[in-house]
Amino acid sequence: MEEDGPGLDRRHLLGLVTAALAAGIIPEAWLAEAAYGATPRWNRPFDRWVPITSTFGPRRDPITGETRQHNGTDYSFSGILGYPIRSIAAGTVSGVSYNASGLGHNVTITHADGWRSVYGHMRAAPVVGTGTQVAAGQHVGNVGSTGRSTGPHLHLEVVHPNGGRVDPESVLAGAPYAGAPGTPPEILTKDGLMYLIWSTGGTGYLVTPNRVIGLRSMAHYNLFKRIINSNQAADQPEVFNALEIDQIKAYLAGTVPA
């Protein structure tokens, strides 16, 4: 089928989508996990139990001896140096830095609904870079003692969407260890190229081989659902109008249509 007036047939449209998403970097098993839900699905920062050596809240600073607010939770055990640190939820790496007088090598991950987690004092630079999509439980770095530290440990901070730091254990209480089996999210529509998910929190996601795109409305969710359904119905390709094509191109280009 060729173009019909201002529309674009399924074959041309899927060619556009395929060309835009040709570089796949996320294993398929992680895609739905990375996009599911408006509220993060939390897990512990390690694949096993690790003792807490310093809790969130006021404490005596181990270096100065002064009473100061401790904005995270410290985890450590004898021999922990180099142990893999895992992301406590799916998200996007939003910061990688080094601070010799603070968290040393550290990484920040932004999760669904604006939650953030910060992992400090890593042995070396994180193994994930800024902009990387990570799955819950994914290896992001290794325990170290860089920065303002008295010994190998993970300093974990959790930042509320309002910007305030919260006790990580108030969020992680009852959460499974990283990598523990769980119930996979329901995939509503799939064709091997894209997933569409509409969460119980009222947020839609288009999951492609190389990114997770939040959908602004149910109308945009339904638009991409039509694309996928049309791709599956080879005998009945659908024609898309100019406005729909502009919206599709805007999402693929990383911009949100009006």
Side-chain angles (χ1 to χ4, degrees):
M1 177 183 290
E2 301 299 325
E3 287 190 21
D4 183 11
L8 188 70
D9 69 72
R10 173 190 57 82
R11 189 169 295 104
H12 285 88
L13 182 59
L14 264 295
L16 170 69
V17 174
T18 302
L21 306 175
I25 59 173
I26 303 177
E28 181 176 301
W30 291 354
L31 293 181
E33 174 68 20
Y36 180 70
T39 301
R41 301 173 67 203
W42 305 110
N43 57 250
R44 311 295 297 186
F46 298 103
D47 60 3
R48 51 160 286 185
W49 179 74
V50 174
I52 292 174
T53 54
S54 186
T55 58
F56 178 91
R59 69 167 184 177
R60 185 173 182 177
D61 188 285
I63 296 176
T64 66
E66 300 174 349
T67 299
R68 300 176 56 180
Q69 172 69 17
H70 186 228
N71 285 323
T73 299
D74 291 348
Y75 303 85
S76 187
F77 62 82
S78 177
I80 197 174
L81 181 65
Y83 201 81
I85 299 167
R86 310 283 180 171
S87 174
I88 61 172
T92 303
V93 177
S94 51
V96 171
S97 64
Y98 177 80
N99 184 342
S101 61
L103 291 179
H105 287 293
N106 66 90
V107 63
T108 299
I109 299 173
T110 298
H111 309 288
D113 256 6
W115 286 88
R116 285 177 288 150
S117 56
V118 182
Y119 311 76
H121 307 302
M122 290 182 174
R123 187 175 190 175
V127 299
V128 290
T130 302
T132 302
Q133 295 283 347
V134 297
Q138 183 172 339
H139 178 209
V140 296
N142 301 300
V143 173
S145 187
T146 57
R148 193 175 185 274
S149 171
T150 58
H153 70 286
L154 167 65
H155 172 87
L156 174 68
E157 297 183 7
V158 174
V159 185
H160 190 276
N162 66 15
R165 287 175 172 79
V166 302
D167 182 353
E169 287 302 303
S170 70
V171 171
L172 300 181
Y177 296 129
T183 302
E186 180 182 5
I187 299 173
L188 300 181
T189 312
K190 173 187 174 183
D191 74 342
L193 177 64
M194 295 184 290
Y195 293 91
L196 276 174
I197 294 174
W198 190 264
S199 79
T200 55
T203 303
Y205 296 92
L206 169 70
V207 190
T208 73
N210 66 339
R211 80 182 96 161
V212 177
I213 303 172
L215 300 176
R216 186 170 180 177
S217 69
M218 176 65 86
H220 292 143
Y221 169 88
N222 286 333
L223 172 58
F224 280 97
K225 186 173 182 178
R226 283 174 55 207
I227 295 172
I228 293 178
N229 287 346
S230 180
N231 185 49
Q232 293 171 335
D235 295 336
Q236 297 179 342
E238 187 161 355
V239 174
F240 298 84
N241 63 43
L243 175 60
E244 292 172 330
I245 294 168
D246 286 344
Q247 291 177 337
I248 293 163
K249 288 181 177 179
Y251 269 115
L252 297 178
T255 59
V256 178

